């Protein structure tokens, strides 16, 4: 239950039930989802698997267990889910939504390791293909670090780049995809063949791609498995290149899988994502970037027309100059029931929208149209049913942390099935608090910003300003929910919140995004100066004499940069969360391709490019009180990037405070639930 309060507070934010994306049943009548909550009174987290009746919007509890997760439909009534056991083991369970008690659920199999990222697919022979991810040892066996014998020494020895990633040290184990067939006998499912088989054993390939790879990195179809993996010949610290592979499988009981076939994409050598089989099973839609050293390059939407020939791939909106005719970044991909249409999510000016394409690049004569029926941003979407022309959409907004809707793309309409916060009412929030502004950037371009006002806003009053700076830098503030940086939290404390999307931001075309290359403290900083001036001149209800600025990651870098420049004197206080103190320390990070791209070369080839935008070069001008927040498990920007600016502030006698989390990673300060 949400903590009772008279207004939206951090406590309410953290205790509000958090729902997963919902998965509709094959017949489109029900949807599975999980929900977790945290209680400050009991200091306890709970987790449930529930089923939603799409017609009524009412849900029913199926499983209440912190160790149970990832429900997937096996039929219109039966569902599969995972349950974590002792010493790192995982069990696969099956239950029925028509049974009111979880006691009727049964274990299909138990494996001595942690498995996750479940996908299932009904096969023509009547069985169900199952694919999961799990760690594999160098010899291809299932790894279970929790059950391994502890070494006598804690020493770690490395002889090549990429020794740690995100919040853990790299080990010899790697992520892999495992497959099996679920067969049914006497009314119950069991794993056919020899159980889970490592699809990537002996290949040097790893998938899903860490640290955030999941079910979007692979797909299963009636003819086999497609997956994305890093190029094993390139060092992952230096290159972003990932390739798409196809493994032909017919029964998913094959004890030894065929060798993966690499899908050729001439001219595109960057990150690959979102492979999805057509319903017919022969075609695969996916996305791929051009640059092999730019993690935020523009993905191109691609089609593999026939998995029997992985050498022929077609690109949507291809152009002779290689830039591509659609200036957007495709993400999630869904095929229509008849395989004639592709639905794709992509950002557009602070919102994630669904776009509609013909399923063949040859038929894509016009740029795609956006389906704008959903308020806020689309987080996940599926076909409503196996034969439906409608979509079941999971979305969030600045006022609603979870909304399920049925969308009809042909009429651009949406019917809300269930809103977790009753469209913000539970939190005391409404769309009337949300606004936006546009102002001139540092060049001949416009910059967009979101504005969040208090729920009791009065135009005749003046409010202090909370000026939020996003991370990335290739990212954006969006009309979507966040438990880390939630504008409504600041607004309900009495601030007007302005969240600008300056140079470097995604969703406004590649020219604005790529304009940050070699300009970390240049164009973006000047955009923010213009934003502050616009607020002072055009928003009479904002008191810019009482302003604070806050940012994380690249936003934290910008806070430290602002601290040493004139804009820093405009604020009463600054907040830097997991930020950059010195750009000369970028090689203490793990993914070196990031500074190599953004600072236009290695630090030994272009030291001047790193020095030019170094906040530490301007500490003589630091004067504004500042809060530093940093985490010891932040291997993207190590803890010293927080300690150094704090020590400078303290040494100079500038009011300052350090908040350190010993068990958190980069920008993921404890979310409790």
């Amino acid at each position: 239950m949400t903590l009772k309060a008279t207004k939206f507070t951090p406590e309410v934010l953290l205790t509000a039930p958090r729902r997963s994306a919902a998965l509709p049943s094959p017949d489109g009548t029900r949807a599975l989802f999980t929900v977790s909550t945290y209680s400050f009174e009991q200091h306890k987290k709970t987790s449930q698997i529930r089923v939603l009746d799409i017609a009524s919007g009412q849900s029913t509890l199926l499983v209440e267990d912190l160790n149970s997760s990832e429900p997937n439909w096996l039929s219109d009534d039966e569902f599969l889910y995972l349950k974590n056991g002792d010493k790192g083991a995982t069990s696969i369970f099956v239950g029925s939504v028509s049974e009111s008690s979880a006691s009727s659920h049964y274990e299909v199999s138990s494996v001595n390791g942690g498995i996750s990222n479940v996908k299932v697919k009904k096969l023509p022979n009547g069985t169900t293909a199952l694919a999961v991810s799990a760690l594999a040892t160098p010899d291809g066996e299932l790894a279970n670090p929790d059950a391994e014998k502890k070494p006598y020494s804690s020493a770690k020895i490395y002889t090549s780049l990429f020794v740690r990633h995100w919040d853990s040290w790299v080990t010899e184990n790697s992520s892999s995809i495992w497959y099996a067939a679920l067969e049914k006998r006497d009314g119950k499912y069991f794993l056919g063949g020899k159980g889970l088989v490592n699809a990537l054993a002996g290949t040097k390939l790893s998938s899903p791609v860490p640290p955030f790879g999941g079910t979007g990195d692979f797909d299963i179809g009636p003819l086999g498995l497609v997956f994305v993996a890093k190029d094993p010949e390139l060092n992952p610290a230096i290159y972003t290149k990932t390739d798409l592979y196809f493994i032909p499988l017919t029964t998913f009981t094959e004890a030894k899988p065929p060798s993966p076939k690499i899908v050729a994409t001439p001219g595109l050598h960057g990150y690959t994502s979102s492979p999805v089989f057509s319903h017919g099973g022969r075609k695969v839609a996916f996305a791929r970037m051009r640059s092999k050293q730019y993690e935020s390059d523009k993905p191109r939407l691609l089609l593999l027309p026939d998995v029997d020939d992985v050498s022929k791939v077609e690109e949507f909106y291809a152009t002779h100059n290689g830039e591509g005719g659609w200036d957007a970044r495709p993400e999630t991909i869904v095929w229509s029931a008849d395989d004639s249409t592709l639905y794709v999510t992509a950002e557009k000016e602070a919102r994630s929208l669904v776009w509609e394409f013909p399923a063949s690049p040859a038929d894509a004569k016009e740029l795609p149209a956006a389906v704008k029926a959903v308020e806020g941003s689309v987080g996940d979407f599926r076909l409503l049913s196996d034969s439906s022309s409608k979509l079941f959409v999971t979305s969030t907004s600045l006022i609603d942390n979870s909304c399920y809707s049925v969308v009809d793309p042909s009429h651009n309409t949406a019917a809300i099935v269930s809103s977790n916060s009753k469209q913000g009412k539970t939190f005391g929030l409404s769309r009337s608090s949300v606004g936006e502004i546009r102002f001139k950037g540092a060049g001949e371009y416009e910059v967009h910003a979101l504005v969040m006002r208090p729920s009791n806003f009065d135009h005749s009053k003046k409010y202090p300003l909370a000026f939020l700076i996003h991370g990335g830098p290739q990212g954006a503030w969006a009309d979507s929910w966040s438990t880390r940086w939630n504008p409504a939290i600041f607004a309900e404390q009495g601030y007007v919140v302005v969240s600008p999307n300056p140079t470097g931001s995604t969703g406004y075309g590649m020219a604005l995004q790529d304009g940050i290359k070699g300009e970390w403290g240049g164009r973006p900083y000047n955009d923010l100066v213009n934003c502050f001036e616009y607020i002072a001149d055009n928003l009479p209800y904002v008191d810019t004499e009482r302003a604070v600025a806050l940012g994380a990651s690249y936003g934290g870098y910008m806070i430290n940069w602002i601290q040493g420049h004139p804009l820093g004197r405009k604020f009463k206080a600054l907040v830097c969360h997991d930020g950059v103190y010195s750009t000369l320390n970028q090689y203490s990070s793990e993914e070196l391709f990031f500074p190599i791209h953004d600072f236009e070369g290695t630090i030994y080839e272009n030291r001047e490019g790193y020095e030019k935008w170094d906040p530490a070069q301007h500490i003589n001008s630091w004067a504004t009180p500042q809060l530093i927040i940093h985490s010891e498990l932040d291997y993207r920007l190590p803890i010293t990037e927080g300690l150094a600016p704090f020590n400078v502030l303290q040494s100079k006698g500038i009011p300052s405070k350090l908040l350190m989390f010993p068990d958190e990673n980069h920008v993921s300060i404890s979310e409790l639930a």
Side-chain angles (χ1 to χ4, degrees):
M1 294 294 291
T2 303
L3 188 72
K4 292 182 179 180
T6 56
K7 64 179 181 179
F8 190 55
T9 64
E11 291 80 7
V12 174
L13 170 69
L14 293 173
T15 57
R18 304 186 194 183
R19 303 195 305 192
S20 69
L23 179 66
S25 59
D27 65 3
T29 62
R30 293 178 282 199
L32 290 167
F33 67 97
T34 62
V35 59
S36 65
T37 57
Y38 181 82
S39 168
F40 276 100
E41 294 177 354
Q42 300 178 349
H43 295 287
K44 181 180 177 182
K45 177 182 174 181
T46 61
S47 181
Q48 300 177 342
I49 297 175
R50 303 185 70 90
V51 62
L52 176 75
D53 179 78
I54 293 177
S56 68
Q58 300 300 308
S59 69
T60 303
L61 176 66
L62 298 174
V63 180
E64 186 161 20
D65 181 4
L66 277 172
N67 295 313
S68 297
S69 62
E70 298 198 48
N72 274 259
W73 293 103
L74 296 174
S75 67
D76 290 326
D77 180 67
E78 298 159 304
F79 69 101
L80 170 150
Y81 62 97
L82 301 181
K83 185 173 182 178
N84 298 329
D86 295 332
K87 296 182 179 180
T90 311
S91 293
I92 301 172
F93 273 80
V94 167
S96 166
V97 297
S98 59
E99 294 283 346
S100 59
S101 173
S103 61
S104 62
H105 300 178
Y106 61 91
E107 183 180 88
V108 173
S109 178
S110 180
V111 295
N112 186 29
I115 62 177
S116 59
N117 297 314
V118 178
K119 277 197 171 181
V120 294
K121 176 72 176 181
K122 187 73 72 175
L123 298 177
N125 64 6
T127 64
T128 298
L130 167 71
V132 298
S133 69
L135 285 178
T137 63
D139 60 3
E141 299 299 316
L142 189 69
N144 184 355
D146 290 344
E148 290 176 358
K149 184 180 178 180
K150 303 303 179 186
Y152 292 110
S153 171
S154 60
K156 295 177 173 62
I157 300 174
Y158 298 89
T159 58
S160 64
L161 278 175
F162 211 57
V163 301
R164 60 185 191 177
H165 198 197
W166 196 247
D167 58 7
S168 61
W169 290 83
V170 174
T171 71
E172 62 181 2
N173 297 332
S174 61
S175 180
S176 196
I177 300 170
W178 306 69
Y179 66 81
L182 287 165
E183 301 176 7
K184 200 171 187 181
R185 184 188 305 149
D186 300 326
K188 289 191 173 182
Y189 288 93
F190 65 96
L191 291 187
K194 294 185 177 181
L196 290 174
V197 176
N198 184 354
L200 311 185
T203 66
K204 297 183 179 179
L205 299 174
S206 178
S207 185
V209 179
F212 304 119
T215 54
D217 278 0
F218 67 94
D219 198 27
I220 48 179
L223 300 178
L225 170 74
V226 287
F227 65 94
V228 170
K230 287 270 191 181
D231 186 330
E233 303 304 318
L234 297 178
N235 192 290
I238 302 295
Y239 296 98
T240 59
K241 183 174 184 278
T242 60
D243 295 298
L244 181 66
Y245 297 85
F246 169 63
I247 298 177
L249 298 168
T250 55
T251 65
F252 283 79
T253 59
E254 289 88 344
K256 183 175 175 56
S259 297
K261 301 177 181 180
I262 191 168
V263 177
T265 58
L268 301 175
H269 307 290
Y271 199 89
T272 307
S273 61
S274 308
V276 184
F277 277 108
S278 63
H279 296 285
R282 289 208 164 273
K283 301 177 181 180
V284 178
F286 64 106
R288 186 161 197 181
M289 299 176 183
R290 181 169 56 178
S291 171
K292 62 182 179 182
Q293 280 192 306
Y294 184 21
E295 66 175 350
S296 298
D297 196 10
K298 182 176 76 172
R300 319 303 167 90
L301 184 63
L302 303 172
L303 175 71
L304 175 63
D306 193 332
V307 291
D308 285 341
D309 187 354
V310 294
S311 67
K312 294 182 179 179
V313 170
E314 301 171 4
E315 181 181 344
F316 286 80
Y317 308 111
T319 57
H320 292 298
N321 64 4
E323 295 297 326
W326 188 42
D327 197 16
R329 302 168 50 84
E331 296 176 348
T332 306
I333 303 169
V334 170
W335 290 82
S336 65
D338 62 0
D339 287 339
S340 66
T341 302
L342 289 177
Y343 298 104
V344 179
T345 56
E347 287 178 276
K348 178 68 172 178
E349 298 188 345
R351 291 164 180 86
S352 179
L353 306 174
V354 175
W355 304 75
E356 186 173 353
F357 297 77
S360 169
D363 297 329
K365 307 297 184 184
E366 305 291 335
L367 291 178
V371 181
K372 298 182 179 180
V374 175
E375 187 176 88
S377 295
V378 174
D380 183 88
F381 72 109
R382 317 289 177 104
L383 288 183
L384 177 60
S385 73
D386 288 346
S387 59
S388 178
S389 60
K390 297 180 180 179
L391 305 175
F392 190 86
V393 174
T394 300
S395 63
T396 70
S397 72
L398 284 168
I399 63 168
D400 193 354
N401 67 347
S402 173
C403 185
Y404 302 145
S405 304
V406 173
V407 172
D408 184 349
S410 62
H411 294 92
N412 215 345
T413 58
I416 294 177
V417 176
S418 172
S419 168
N420 201 32
S421 68
K422 298 181 181 178
Q423 298 174 273
K425 292 179 182 178
T426 302
F427 302 142
L429 304 175
S430 71
R431 291 303 297 183
S432 63
S433 293
V434 181
E436 52 194 299
I437 57 174
R438 296 176 188 272
F439 54 92
K440 188 180 184 301
E444 297 304 314
Y445 55 88
E446 188 177 65
V447 178
H448 177 238
L450 293 169
V451 178
M452 189 84 179
R453 297 176 291 269
S455 57
N456 60 353
F457 177 73
D458 183 341
H459 271 281
S460 66
K461 295 182 179 179
K462 275 187 172 289
Y463 297 84
L465 170 67
F467 195 74
L468 303 189
I469 306 172
H470 69 68
Q474 292 86 2
W477 295 117
D479 187 359
S480 61
W481 192 260
S482 172
T483 51
R484 291 198 311 239
W485 288 82
N486 191 300
I489 286 293
F490 296 95
E492 293 304 274
Q493 299 298 313
Y495 290 89
V496 167
V497 184
V498 177
S499 307
N501 286 328
T503 296
S505 300
T506 56
Y508 299 87
M510 294 304 295
L512 186 75
Q513 178 186 313
D514 291 344
I516 197 170
K517 185 177 182 181
E519 283 281 334
W520 261 40
R523 276 182 54 180
Y525 171 77
N526 291 321
D527 289 344
L528 296 175
V529 170
N530 288 3
C531 182
F532 191 89
E533 291 175 353
Y534 179 91
I535 295 167
D537 294 340
N538 296 276
L539 301 184
Y541 51 84
V542 176
D543 183 358
T544 52
E545 295 295 319
R546 295 185 296 149
V548 295
L550 314 89
S553 193
Y554 171 80
Y557 158 86
M558 183 53 72
I559 290 295
N560 289 335
W561 182 259
I562 285 172
Q563 176 70 277
H565 289 80
L567 184 57
R569 309 292 78 80
K570 301 287 187 180
F571 296 103
K572 295 296 185 184
L574 301 170
V575 179
C576 173
H577 176 175
D578 286 354
V580 175
Y581 168 67
S582 175
T583 50
L584 297 181
N585 297 336
Q586 287 288 291
Y587 268 59
S588 63
S589 187
E590 6 86 294
E591 294 181 343
L592 299 182
F593 54 76
F594 179 80
I596 289 172
H597 175 271
D598 276 20
F599 293 99
E600 301 180 296
T602 64
I603 194 167
Y604 42 88
E605 294 169 330
N606 184 28
R607 184 180 178 89
E608 296 81 4
Y610 289 73
E611 290 177 336
K612 183 177 182 180
W613 307 118
D614 185 4
Q617 302 279 358
H618 303 277
I619 56 177
N620 286 346
S621 299
W622 285 24
T624 302
Q626 185 166 332
L627 169 65
I628 304 283
I629 306 171
H630 222 98
S631 307
E632 280 202 307
L633 292 185
D634 183 355
Y635 297 162
R636 181 64 46 89
L637 292 171
I639 185 67
T640 49
E641 292 295 278
L643 290 172
F646 176 69
N647 290 345
V648 168
L649 291 161
Q650 286 285 306
S651 297
K652 296 190 69 176
I654 301 169
S656 50
K657 183 179 290 187
L658 172 67
L659 171 61
M660 188 278 288
F661 291 86
D663 52 0
E664 298 289 351
N665 56 39
H666 185 62
V667 306
S668 66
I669 296 303
S670 186
E671 296 186 15
L672 300 177

